[in-house]
Amino acid sequence: MLERANTNAGALHGCYGGLLLRYPTDHPVIPWGSTTVLCLPLAVASLQKPEIRLESLKEDIKEFFKISGWEKKLQNAVYSELNVYPLPSHPAAPPEHLKEPLVYMRKAQGSWEKRILKSLNSMCTELSIPLARKRPVGQQKELLNKWNEMGTDEPDLSLFRPVYAPKDFLEVLINLRNPNYENGDSLSFRTHLGLIQVPLKVKDIPDLKECFIELGLNTGQLGIDDSTQVPPELFENEHVRIGQKVLAEQDSAAAQQYIRQGSPTALRAELWALILNISSQPEDILYYEQLKANVIQHDLLVDSLIYKDVKLTASNDDYYFVFEDYLYQVLLCFSRDTSVLGHFAYNSASPPKSYIRGKLGLEEYAVFYPPNDWLGVDHFFKAWPGVIPFHGFSMYVAPLCFLYHEPYKLYQTFREMYVRFFFRLHSISSHPSGIVSLCLLFETLLQTYLPQLFYHLREIGAQPLRISFKWMVRAFSGYLATDQLLLLWDRILGYNSLEILAVLAAAVFAFRAVNLMEVTSLAAAEAVLADLSTLKVMPLLQIFLFATIT
Amino acid sequence: MNTLMDVLRNRPGWVEVKDEGEWDFYWCDVSWLRENFDHTYMDDHVRISHFRNHYELTHKNYMVKNLKRFRRQLEREAGKLEAAKCDFFPKTFEMPCEYHLFVEEFRKHPGITWIMKPVARSQGKGIFLFRRLKDIMDWRKDTRSSDDQKDELPVENYVAQRYIENPYLIGGRKFDLRVYVLVTSYLPLRAWLYRDGFTRFSNTRFTLSSIDDQYVHLTNVAVQKTSPDYHPKKGCKWMLQRFRQYLASKHGPQVVEALFSDMDNIFIKSLQSVQKVIISDKHCFELYGYDILIDQDLKPWLLEVNASPSLTASSPEDYELKTCLLEDTLHVVDMEARLTGKEKRVGGFDLMWNDGPVSREEGAPDLPGMGNFVTNTHLGCVNDRKNQLQQLFHSLQTQKKASS
């Protein structure tokens, strides 16, 4: 129970040792009927009353919570946990089952990981570079001096190549099969024409309409109802006022509900921090500084991959090139963050354990990489270096630079976004927000509502998923204009789901259907869909979901 | 990527004239102007793209003289507070004639950085930074000796200007803003502000420790292009809309409004300061490129005004911006005589000053500052010029039909 309380709950971190209390199950703050052990600040002990009376302790504490604002913080922390962790499950279920209930998915993820690891290890051997090594003191000093301008470094990265690109991952997903499912029927109108051939349940438009009800035609939206032709009195002014109120109340759940209609530019940074339950406590800053110290002291192979990725993608982007230095400051620390391992508890991916040489198989000698201590770092680990960046990974961070400017804040936000959402985009699972489900959702929407287009594209050898996959894997970062991207990510946070990415991908195809019907090759189809920077996201989504005749 | 030729050639009903032919419209060089304007006869309808003595505004030494004079006048007429609104130009001294005044100021603030700029050159040529008088001693010796040979070598005028040491940085980089202002007459003063513009980033991170590295400090694209770090794909430019959004998300909309309102003040005051000096010939109009630097306190500073802002495009986006800018300039100049003269907006241009401040449409909320109303400027805002032009010309057409 204590572990549960310690993760993700910034509010609960502010404890200075103190009373341990069991919280009553029927308290309205916590909606579900389970008990939680809480740490309370010692300050509680010094309530206004000169002596603490046991009979009134419960009431006194409740009162204290309300006055001091801790009640809100606890609520936010609990709400945040509800969003992140899976629902309570059967007590007899083994931990792998919690991560990913379907065996074939687990197996597929396992072999994909092995492949990546093999590729990484062979890169190490080829280039004779260890996975990790301690930096000599001179280099450490140099790096520390250059910390704010690492982008000026031009290391020779020509020998490094990204470990994999989204299209490699797509090939793996295309070959996923459920061994228990045999579709012996001959081809019929029901046959799925797309690339994904696993039977996962996905929503159709009526379901999506219900789910995304706040995007409907009768509800005001930022991204639509704040355009220049619409007088701000109709929607925008009131919406901004409500946003300010939500921020004043510091209520996570309210913020999440509010942001479904989009966030005003000026309030976005704070709203996201509230929803992700990020507070800038001194210990958070300290944590970031520790990671930074780690970066200075040790050089990881993954660092070079990160450098290469940033140089290839974000630095070449017309809008994100300015933030190059911030990207290094975030990503280099991220690859050393052991708390990210915590998210693997609900991710089907697992950090392969490495065993200290000679003790293979003995659990006590298993080491997770990045290791908690760096004693063994000079050894050549055959280990899983945390999250391996693929080509385009740095684009997850780039849009956030628009909102946050202190590196530790930027870092916290990115880490939260990663463990809540982004990791699902490059691991194999059956989760409704996992990339497999998103691909299937995209293809099903297209086939059901734009069958002629789908059939035509398939005939000319341009399977739609081959084009839209890269958009979804990057959550459209780098493809949409930044202001549109942020409006889209508002909704991801608001609905706590990535399904909107698949819906948008389908909406884009629907929008350009006329041109697509005229193309005769994959290359031509790619050309029609090459430039998304002029698209307005919210009208596209609204039309596709609510204004198309189904 | 010659935007000007493309726009002129594509304009319906316009024909290019070669050499000695008669012309109704000339987008000329300043050098041609200097040599020919005085003895060229122009009919009433003829338009030319420069004012005869534009250098009163666009040469740094003249500009600072005019601004100082205007400031003194304002102080006499309206008091210190009003005059302080002219303090958007860093302290500048003409060289070599104001050298002694400069030394006095220099000694008052030891250790600060100064920048020496040639009066009339552009694209960052001839600029250098210095902190010690020693650095310019040698330079001064050179100019003194060339004084004696005045007849053979033209003396180039320089200005020494206080260098702004705390620029606002984005991603650790210094930047400046390029804004376009169109003036169609000085007496009375009519000026239009274009909604689009761009932010030019320096390619390297800002630091005061390397004042010899001109790549760090100068943000002209021309200089940046020669930097070893420069990758043409990067472009190092942001559109102003992007910049405005970035600031709004960081500082909130009110702060951004205040900043842009301060910039409006710069445009108007700078034009007012030369209003009485510039020969306001009805044939002339001029498209100025203003260079603005923002410091960390979000105060805008005027670096300079360009009479011939670069019209070559460095990227497809840039090409789009400049062609639309030129098209709209021609719409405002209105050789086709379509406009009534009462328009407040033409395409991407908003009428900023019409012998007095111009208010936005009725019903807009008031802001403190320029009297009782909000100025009609939308720098960095949405530029839906195509729609606006369509509606404008359509309604003008119907008006014409109705009245004929």
Side-chain angles (χ1 to χ4, degrees):
Chain A
M1 287 293 192
L2 249 173
E3 307 93 79
R4 230 180 143 96
N6 277 339
T7 49
N8 277 340
L12 296 175
H13 271 181
C15 312
Y16 313 105
L19 309 174
L20 283 180
L21 276 186
R22 285 193 105 214
Y23 221 75
T25 56
D26 56 356
H27 194 277
V29 168
I30 300 167
W32 21 274
S34 65
T35 56
T36 312
V37 176
L38 299 170
C39 275
L40 292 177
L42 261 174
V44 172
S46 60
L47 292 172
Q48 289 81 1
K49 307 249 168 75
E51 80 288 329
I52 304 165
R53 292 194 343 262
L54 216 55
E55 315 82 63
S56 68
L57 186 59
K58 179 170 153 180
E59 297 310 318
D60 291 342
I61 289 180
K62 278 198 213 173
E63 199 47 50
F64 174 76
F65 270 179
K66 273 211 182 63
I67 308 170
S68 60
W70 277 98
E71 180 179 46
K72 208 61 270 190
K73 289 195 187 145
L74 279 171
Q75 270 180 317
N76 288 346
V78 168
Y79 191 75
S80 154
E81 300 241 335
L82 285 176
N83 272 329
V84 164
Y85 281 91
L87 297 168
S89 52
H90 195 280
E96 312 92 69
H97 198 265
L98 285 177
K99 283 199 287 185
E100 168 54 57
L102 298 180
V103 173
Y104 75 90
M105 289 275 183
R106 283 209 297 275
K107 282 213 177 103
Q109 174 67 17
S111 51
W112 169 239
E113 285 172 16
K114 282 207 190 76
R115 240 178 87 182
I116 299 181
L117 197 54
K118 205 166 152 213
S119 175
L120 194 67
N121 281 332
S122 64
M123 199 192 300
C124 284
T125 329
E126 246 178 68
L127 304 174
S128 313
I129 298 177
L131 267 171
R133 65 174 187 107
K134 199 170 164 67
R135 262 188 245 272
V137 174
Q139 266 186 35
Q140 286 189 30
K141 275 216 184 92
E142 218 188 291
L143 185 56
L144 192 57
N145 282 337
K146 265 205 315 230
W147 182 256
N148 288 323
E149 40 180 56
M150 280 186 276
T152 50
D153 225 1
E154 296 273 341
D156 180 14
L157 300 169
S158 51
L159 297 171
F160 290 96
R161 19 166 230 292
V163 180
Y164 68 97
K167 60 176 164 37
D168 305 314
F169 188 48
L170 178 59
E171 291 304 319
V172 174
L173 299 186
I174 292 173
N175 291 318
L176 267 181
R177 293 287 181 277
N178 180 352
N180 292 333
Y181 182 75
E182 181 56 60
N183 191 358
D185 306 335
S186 50
L187 285 175
S188 74
F189 71 89
R190 281 222 210 98
T191 313
H192 184 71
L193 294 175
L195 295 171
I196 305 292
Q197 293 291 331
V198 289
L200 294 173
K201 182 153 175 29
V202 292
K203 299 187 168 84
D204 58 7
I205 287 197
D207 294 330
L208 291 168
K209 271 178 158 157
E210 240 184 79
C211 175
F212 293 115
I213 196 167
E214 291 85 353
L215 301 184
L217 296 167
N218 292 327
T219 316
Q221 297 294 329
L222 287 185
I224 297 175
D225 300 293
D226 54 336
S227 76
T228 45
Q229 288 93 2
V230 180
E233 301 85 58
L234 280 186
F235 168 71
E236 203 183 345
N237 289 345
E238 183 60 16
H239 191 65
V240 172
R241 223 182 42 78
I242 298 178
Q244 285 160 340
K245 201 149 174 273
V246 166
L247 280 175
E249 293 289 308
Q250 284 290 295
D251 188 332
S252 269
Q256 194 163 328
Q257 179 64 37
Y258 169 81
I259 210 175
R260 292 177 180 188
Q261 290 170 273
S263 164
T265 315
L267 305 179
R268 185 174 276 126
E270 284 182 64
L271 276 170
W272 283 26
L274 181 55
I275 295 171
L276 296 170
N277 203 30
I278 295 172
S279 54
S280 298
Q281 304 289 337
E283 50 277 12
D284 300 316
I285 304 177
L286 200 62
Y287 189 76
Y288 176 75
E289 292 297 320
Q290 275 179 337
L291 289 173
K292 177 178 162 182
N294 241 329
V295 176
I296 305 281
Q297 282 167 9
H298 300 96
D299 185 11
L300 298 183
L301 173 69
V302 173
D303 292 349
S304 302
L305 298 174
I306 290 172
Y307 258 105
K308 181 118 196 181
D309 188 52
V310 173
K311 289 282 183 208
L312 284 179
T313 55
S315 295
N316 271 332
D317 187 294
D318 279 337
Y319 288 110
Y320 297 127
F321 71 90
V322 178
F323 303 121
E324 191 185 343
D325 298 327
Y326 293 142
L327 297 180
Y328 297 121
Q329 292 175 13
V330 168
L331 289 167
L332 292 178
C333 289
F334 181 70
S335 59
R336 290 157 172 78
D337 192 341
T338 50
S339 74
V340 173
L341 276 179
H343 96 266
F344 284 119
Y346 54 90
N347 179 11
S348 54
S350 50
K353 301 174 220 173
S354 113
Y355 296 89
I356 307 254
R357 280 204 200 146
K359 311 267 189 217
L360 197 68
L362 296 172
E363 207 50 51
E364 317 82 86
Y365 291 99
V367 178
F368 289 95
Y369 192 107
N372 278 316
D373 70 333
W374 287 88
L375 291 175
V377 82
D378 290 326
H379 291 250
F380 188 90
F381 278 5
K382 289 217 184 296
W384 180 267
V387 176
I388 298 196
F390 56 86
H391 179 64
F393 191 84
S394 54
M395 294 305 280
Y396 287 142
V397 189
L400 300 175
C401 296
F402 240 72
L403 301 174
Y404 303 101
H405 312 100
E406 294 97 337
Y408 71 89
K409 242 206 157 124
L410 189 54
Y411 180 76
Q412 273 188 298
T413 311
F414 169 62
R415 188 182 58 184
E416 264 317 297
M417 292 288 282
Y418 184 83
V419 301
R420 274 200 202 201
F421 304 115
F422 296 146
F423 77 94
R424 297 196 195 279
L425 296 171
H426 47 267
S427 47
I428 305 178
S429 83
S430 59
H431 194 276
S433 272
I435 188 72
V436 184
S437 303
L438 295 184
C439 290
L440 192 58
L441 174 59
F442 164 73
E443 288 188 322
T444 313
L445 284 175
L446 220 55
Q447 186 174 340
T448 314
Y449 300 103
L450 293 155
Q452 207 183 2
L453 176 65
F454 197 123
Y455 190 76
H456 168 73
L457 289 173
R458 194 169 163 269
E459 287 296 287
I460 61 168
Q463 275 277 5
L465 186 59
R466 287 204 187 278
I467 302 175
S468 65
F469 186 70
K470 55 186 184 287
W471 303 338
M472 293 192 285
V473 164
R474 298 224 307 225
F476 282 89
S477 173
Y479 297 106
L480 295 174
T482 310
D483 60 317
Q484 296 299 311
L485 184 76
L486 292 172
L487 288 169
L488 179 67
W489 287 16
D490 282 342
R491 272 69 179 194
I492 293 180
L493 283 167
Y495 291 101
N496 198 33
S497 148
L498 292 166
E499 285 161 312
I500 203 152
L501 297 177
V503 180
L504 180 61
V508 171
F509 271 73
F511 185 62
R512 300 217 170 140
V514 172
N515 289 0
L516 286 169
M517 284 304 289
E518 293 177 8
V519 300
T520 51
S521 70
L522 173 60
E526 299 254 21
V528 169
L529 294 166
D531 183 9
L532 306 186
S533 59
T534 51
L535 293 182
K536 299 276 180 265
V537 161
M538 298 318 300
L540 276 183
L541 284 169
Q542 223 180 40
I543 292 174
F544 186 76
L545 285 175
F546 295 96
T548 314
I549 302 170
T550 53
Chain B
M1 291 262 220
N2 194 332
T3 52
L4 186 58
M5 293 309 252
D6 292 344
V7 168
L8 289 174
R9 288 195 178 126
N10 288 328
R11 201 158 175 89
W14 286 41
V15 174
E16 188 176 352
V17 169
K18 305 282 184 194
D19 299 330
E20 296 305 317
E22 276 198 26
W23 46 267
D24 304 297
F25 179 92
Y26 191 4
W27 194 286
C28 62
D29 274 334
V30 289
S31 48
W32 182 94
L33 191 83
R34 196 170 42 234
E35 286 164 28
N36 297 293
F37 187 92
D38 294 332
H39 38 263
T40 306
Y41 173 72
M42 290 185 275
D43 280 332
D44 278 354
H45 70 280
V46 169
R47 292 287 178 269
I48 194 165
S49 66
H50 285 291
F51 284 91
R52 177 66 184 88
N53 55 344
H54 61 82
Y55 47 79
E56 296 281 353
L57 181 64
T58 58
H59 283 207
K60 302 167 188 65
N61 55 343
Y62 284 102
M63 206 252 283
V64 74
K65 241 197 291 226
N66 288 317
L67 200 58
K68 280 184 187 164
R69 188 180 24 81
F70 182 63
R71 190 188 192 288
R72 283 193 298 270
Q73 181 192 342
L74 263 189
E75 193 166 8
R76 278 198 311 269
E77 293 174 5
K80 277 199 151 70
L81 220 60
E82 192 62 25
K85 287 192 187 157
C86 292
D87 293 338
F88 48 77
F89 202 62
K91 248 199 158 71
T92 308
F93 298 95
E94 231 186 291
M95 300 298 213
C97 48
E98 288 185 323
Y99 180 73
H100 299 289
L101 286 170
F102 162 69
V103 172
E104 216 183 291
E105 184 72 22
F106 182 90
R107 297 225 160 98
K108 270 194 226 162
H109 306 274
I112 65 169
T113 315
W114 292 80
I115 182 167
M116 193 74 89
K117 297 190 200 178
V119 154
R121 281 199 268 175
S122 63
Q123 305 196 321
K125 298 190 207 126
I127 296 185
F128 63 93
L129 297 169
F130 62 95
R131 275 203 198 112
R132 306 168 303 175
L133 278 180
K134 183 173 169 307
D135 297 331
I136 55 171
M137 286 303 193
D138 304 322
W139 171 88
R140 190 163 171 251
K141 273 200 217 117
D142 291 337
T143 47
R144 265 240 195 93
S145 61
S146 62
D147 262 358
D148 304 325
Q149 305 154 39
K150 215 185 218 168
D151 300 320
E152 282 118 22
L153 277 171
V155 174
E156 181 162 33
N157 273 345
Y158 274 74
V159 290
Q161 192 176 68
R162 187 156 172 177
Y163 182 68
I164 294 168
E165 286 172 330
N166 62 339
Y168 193 91
L169 301 175
I170 295 183
R173 287 170 222 238
K174 185 176 163 180
F175 62 91
D176 72 0
L177 307 179
R178 163 53 60 91
V179 182
Y180 296 101
V181 175
L182 172 63
V183 177
T184 49
S185 110
Y186 273 96
L187 288 170
L189 182 59
R190 274 174 72 93
W192 301 74
L193 182 65
Y194 200 66
R195 294 187 178 199
D196 292 338
F198 44 88
T199 322
R200 296 178 296 203
F201 287 94
S202 144
N203 219 11
T204 44
R205 283 71 178 158
F206 180 78
T207 161
L208 282 177
S209 55
S210 58
I211 58 176
D212 283 327
D213 184 357
Q214 64 164 331
Y215 302 116
V216 173
H217 299 280
L218 303 177
T219 52
N220 290 65
V221 176
V223 172
Q224 291 303 320
K225 273 191 173 150
T226 59
S227 155
D229 268 351
Y230 183 76
H231 298 291
K233 259 209 274 188
K234 276 193 200 161
C236 43
K237 278 190 199 177
W238 270 8
M239 300 299 274
L240 272 183
Q241 283 79 4
R242 165 68 37 118
F243 171 69
R244 194 166 177 151
Q245 267 169 16
Y246 176 87
L247 281 189
S249 68
K250 196 168 174 192
H251 300 281
Q254 284 92 349
V255 170
V256 173
E257 280 280 353
L259 169 65
F260 278 76
S261 165
D262 286 344
M263 291 205 279
D264 288 344
N265 174 61
I266 291 183
F267 307 136
I268 294 171
K269 290 259 178 331
S270 60
L271 292 173
Q272 284 178 321
S273 71
V274 296
Q275 194 179 0
K276 304 220 173 90
V277 190
I278 291 210
I279 302 164
S280 186
D281 190 320
K282 68 173 176 221
H283 302 104
C284 303
F285 69 91
E286 209 154 18
L287 180 65
Y288 297 110
Y290 272 72
D291 290 341
I292 307 273
L293 182 74
I294 317 264
D295 73 14
Q296 279 190 2
D297 304 317
L298 287 178
K299 179 187 158 76
W301 295 88
L302 177 60
L303 291 179
E304 68 170 340
V305 184
N306 288 288
S308 314
S310 159
L311 295 173
T312 31
S314 57
S315 72
E317 201 177 44
D318 203 36
Y319 181 83
E320 181 70 22
L321 183 152
K322 288 176 176 159
T323 43
C324 294
L325 172 70
L326 289 168
E327 273 174 30
D328 289 344
T329 305
L330 296 178
H331 290 321
V332 171
V333 170
D334 198 28
M335 300 291 296
E336 296 91 344
R338 287 183 285 189
L339 303 178
T340 62
K342 297 208 171 61
E343 288 81 8
K344 282 191 191 174
R345 182 185 168 190
V346 176
F349 274 112
D350 293 297
L351 184 60
M352 171 170 60
W353 191 266
N354 187 11
D355 203 20
V358 180
S359 69
R360 286 192 191 152
E361 265 119 9
E362 311 95 280
D366 292 343
L367 269 186
M370 289 248 188
N372 282 335
F373 43 76
V374 181
T375 41
N376 182 35
T377 52
H378 300 83
L379 187 59
C381 295
V382 170
N383 186 5
D384 52 343
R385 54 179 288 279
K386 278 215 181 83
N387 279 344
Q388 198 272 346
L389 287 171
Q390 219 174 21
Q391 284 170 4
L392 175 66
F393 288 128
H394 183 78
S395 74
L396 285 173
Q397 240 181 349
T398 34
Q399 272 179 36
K400 259 211 172 105
K401 285 202 186 122
S403 59
S404 63

